[in-house]
Amino acid sequence: MLGARCLLRALRSCSSAPCPRPKPSAKLSVRDALGVQNASGERVKVQGWVRSVRSQKEVLFLHVNDGSSLESLQVVADSNLDSRELDFGCSVEVQGQLVKSPSKRQNVELKAEKIEVVGNCDPKDFPLKYKHRPPLEYLRQFPHLRCRTNALGSILRVRSEATAAIHSFFKDSGFVHIHTPIITSNDCEGAGELFQVEPSSKIKVPEENFFDVPAFLTVSGQLHLEVMSGAFTQVFTFGPTFRAENSQSRRHLAEFYMVEAEISFVESLQDLMQVMEGLFKSATAMVLASCPEDVALCHRFIAPGQKIRTYVKKQLFNWGVDLHTEHEKYLVKHCGNIPVFVINYPLALKPFYMRDNEDGPQHTVAAVDLLVPGVGELFGGSLREERYHFLEQRLARSGLREAYQWYLDLRRFGSVPHGGFGMGFERYLQCILGIDNIKDVIPFPRFTHSCIL
């Protein structure tokens, strides 16, 4: 407590005393400037990148964007402020008066008094061209520049808003956020598609491991969340996961983000499905309310004809073999191109931690997937096997009993019925934006034979 008080006093002492000086122009983002109502000549400063330049005999028009919104701010200046350095793509700082625009297309414009070019841009060498809308495939070869396009700008703003919406849903629902480790000794999925972690320099004794055990980049935070669900009834994590899949398909990445949750005292898939549905609906509603222009741009230019559909729940029991992408999409289409829950999968197809339904010859586990249009599987979840002897037998059959003794201990000391799910964040963005390739909804895609930057 004493340390906190000392810190507060130190912060107060750092405040600089006011100096008599002319009132500087208020710095505004483009988004805030565009949102000003009844502009009446307020002196402001805007910083950003030039999206267009149009010079007439007596008037200079610029459109400046700083990434805060899809729409750019129009800057109007005397032609004497024109400069050879003012080109598409250059960075500028503009000071002037924010006034009501005579044009019906915009509410305000910036009447410039000073334009400073901060960073030059040669339009001949710049890969992005004015009034040109390159396909997303072309932009992937410029991961360091593609964020400057309207398309990627909109996608990344939606990604940011969706991240905030997901955190907001869990916070409002009483979940505790857990930072699960990126380096782990567990393979949650059991698929063996792992990236092993080793020091870049050779260890003196080759037989030794840095952590004394083989360590890998995480494929899921689920098992760590299950540990935490023994002390907190509702927990979630949101972070990067890694799969060493040798695939360059439009569905796969080597690094991607997962939203995962674990809930204690849950005894039915229906309860779990309600949380999954609530997360999907709540996050999507917040995104549509926060950045409708960005979503509309994606639907208009990137995925024409793809629209957000009302969320309706259906249940479907499928038996026999595992579902592949083409099967998932067929089921969604068969049910009217709406999200579909598929429940109760064959035990032989699923990992050891899923709860045995004890349902005779079919022998299923209490698992659930949520399939969505255009993507296929978006959510995957299950009730967890909380019964010690059932879990022990499955681990023994898999030869994992010794490695997962700690997991068995969770069932020995105060175990409760519980369940959880995971949602692929990039697939969620594909779903709501109608984007075909997963590489276009993440800032820096990593996949086999490609790790640019």
Side-chain angles (χ1 to χ4, degrees):
M1 189 67 180
L2 181 61
R5 288 174 180 168
C6 292
L7 179 59
L8 286 172
R9 283 199 297 270
L11 289 172
R12 292 191 190 105
S13 69
C14 288
S15 300
S16 56
C19 301
R21 64 176 65 178
K23 186 176 180 181
S25 301
K27 181 180 175 181
L28 288 183
S29 69
V30 168
R31 182 187 182 97
D32 290 340
L34 292 170
V36 171
Q37 301 295 324
N38 303 316
S40 55
E42 297 90 340
R43 303 186 70 82
V44 301
K45 176 170 65 177
V46 171
Q47 299 163 324
W49 293 267
V50 174
R51 289 294 177 88
S52 71
V53 183
R54 183 162 53 94
S55 183
Q56 297 183 351
K57 188 173 182 180
E58 297 181 353
V59 184
L60 173 68
F61 294 95
L62 302 178
H63 281 92
V64 177
N65 192 286
D66 64 354
S68 60
S69 73
L70 175 61
E71 185 180 357
S72 298
L73 176 65
Q74 177 166 284
V75 176
V76 183
D78 290 335
S79 58
N80 60 9
L81 291 179
D82 198 358
S83 164
R84 292 182 179 180
E85 297 177 332
L86 270 177
D87 276 313
F88 170 69
C90 74
S91 56
V92 295
E93 179 178 288
V94 184
Q95 297 185 47
Q97 292 180 299
L98 201 62
V99 298
K100 183 174 176 60
S101 174
S103 172
K104 294 182 180 180
R105 293 183 179 182
Q106 61 227 1
N107 183 41
V108 297
E109 62 186 26
L110 181 57
K111 188 176 180 181
E113 298 170 349
K114 179 182 178 183
I115 301 176
E116 178 186 353
V117 176
V118 179
N120 298 335
C121 180
D122 187 342
K124 294 181 181 178
D125 296 333
F126 194 35
L128 309 178
K129 304 301 179 184
Y130 176 54
K131 285 190 175 181
H132 178 55
R133 190 180 296 120
L136 295 178
E137 292 83 358
Y138 171 80
L139 294 176
R140 283 183 216 135
Q141 62 185 309
F142 305 108
H144 57 306
L145 296 174
R146 69 175 187 163
C147 58
R148 303 191 192 188
T149 63
N150 281 341
L152 264 293
S154 288
I155 292 170
L156 295 176
R157 276 188 296 273
V158 170
R159 185 182 176 100
S160 177
E161 290 295 335
T163 299
I166 289 166
H167 279 278
S168 178
F169 169 82
F170 282 120
K171 182 178 176 61
D172 293 345
S173 302
F175 281 72
V176 175
H177 185 197
I178 303 296
H179 293 115
T180 54
I182 290 177
I183 299 175
T184 178
S185 58
N186 300 316
D187 177 9
C188 178
E189 298 296 321
E193 297 163 339
L194 302 172
F195 287 105
Q196 189 158 353
V197 178
E198 296 178 349
S200 58
S201 59
K202 296 294 183 181
I203 300 176
K204 291 182 179 179
V205 183
E207 292 78 13
E208 292 183 1
N209 288 299
F210 184 86
F211 296 102
D212 290 335
V213 295
F216 311 94
L217 295 180
T218 183
V219 297
S220 170
Q222 178 206 314
L223 298 184
H224 297 97
L225 284 184
E226 284 198 62
V227 171
M228 293 297 164
S229 69
F232 307 94
T233 56
Q234 298 184 118
V235 292
F236 82 101
T237 190
F238 188 172
T241 53
F242 307 85
R243 303 280 173 89
E245 292 183 286
N246 187 18
S247 172
Q248 297 190 32
S249 78
R250 60 185 179 81
R251 288 174 45 85
H252 293 99
L253 289 169
E255 177 184 2
F256 54 95
Y257 279 70
M258 284 287 290
V259 180
E260 298 176 274
E262 203 71 25
I263 308 168
S264 300
F265 300 98
V266 168
E267 299 189 49
S268 74
L269 280 179
Q270 185 67 33
D271 293 337
L272 205 58
M273 291 155 63
Q274 286 179 357
V275 180
M276 295 162 69
E277 180 177 341
L279 171 60
F280 185 87
K281 293 170 67 175
S282 173
T284 304
M286 288 186 67
V287 167
L288 292 176
S290 300
C291 42
E293 299 89 356
D294 292 311
V295 175
L297 179 137
C298 292
H299 288 170
R300 182 180 178 186
F301 296 112
I302 301 177
Q306 181 86 17
K307 297 181 180 179
I308 297 293
R309 297 176 173 85
T310 303
Y311 183 81
V312 181
K313 180 176 64 180
K314 288 189 177 183
Q315 290 186 354
L316 178 69
F317 177 75
N318 185 279
W319 170 252
V321 296
D322 203 1
L323 297 179
H324 298 291
T325 305
E326 57 270 24
H327 304 138
E328 295 167 351
K329 290 185 176 181
Y330 173 81
L331 289 173
V332 171
K333 185 176 181 180
H334 177 76
C335 293
N337 268 328
I338 56 175
V340 177
F341 279 118
V342 179
I343 62 174
N344 296 335
Y345 282 77
L347 179 143
L349 300 177
K350 292 298 181 179
F352 63 85
Y353 51 75
M354 295 189 176
R355 196 177 199 276
D356 191 338
N357 281 329
E358 300 182 88
D359 50 357
Q362 292 178 333
H363 209 180
T364 64
V365 290
V368 56
D369 286 345
L370 177 60
L371 314 181
V372 296
V375 173
E377 180 190 342
L378 176 61
F379 284 81
S382 74
L383 299 181
R384 314 309 190 195
E385 184 57 84
E386 86 284 3
R387 297 165 295 183
Y388 181 91
H389 294 296
F390 278 79
L391 182 60
E392 183 182 39
Q393 290 173 7
R394 292 193 67 182
L395 285 171
R397 286 197 296 268
S398 304
L400 298 172
R401 193 190 185 290
E402 183 177 349
Y404 285 89
Q405 181 58 52
W406 64 270
Y407 194 66
L408 282 169
D409 285 348
L410 298 178
R411 274 63 179 170
R412 293 174 58 203
F413 307 118
S415 179
V416 299
H418 61 288
F421 61 83
M423 179 187 79
F425 185 51
E426 282 74 26
R427 289 188 180 184
Y428 169 73
L429 295 173
Q430 284 185 275
C431 173
I432 65 171
L433 296 178
I435 294 176
D436 184 60
N437 198 308
I438 197 170
K439 300 176 185 68
D440 298 322
V441 294
I442 191 168
F444 303 100
R446 271 69 172 108
F447 51 95
T448 181
H449 307 306
S450 179
C451 188
I452 305 174
L453 297 188

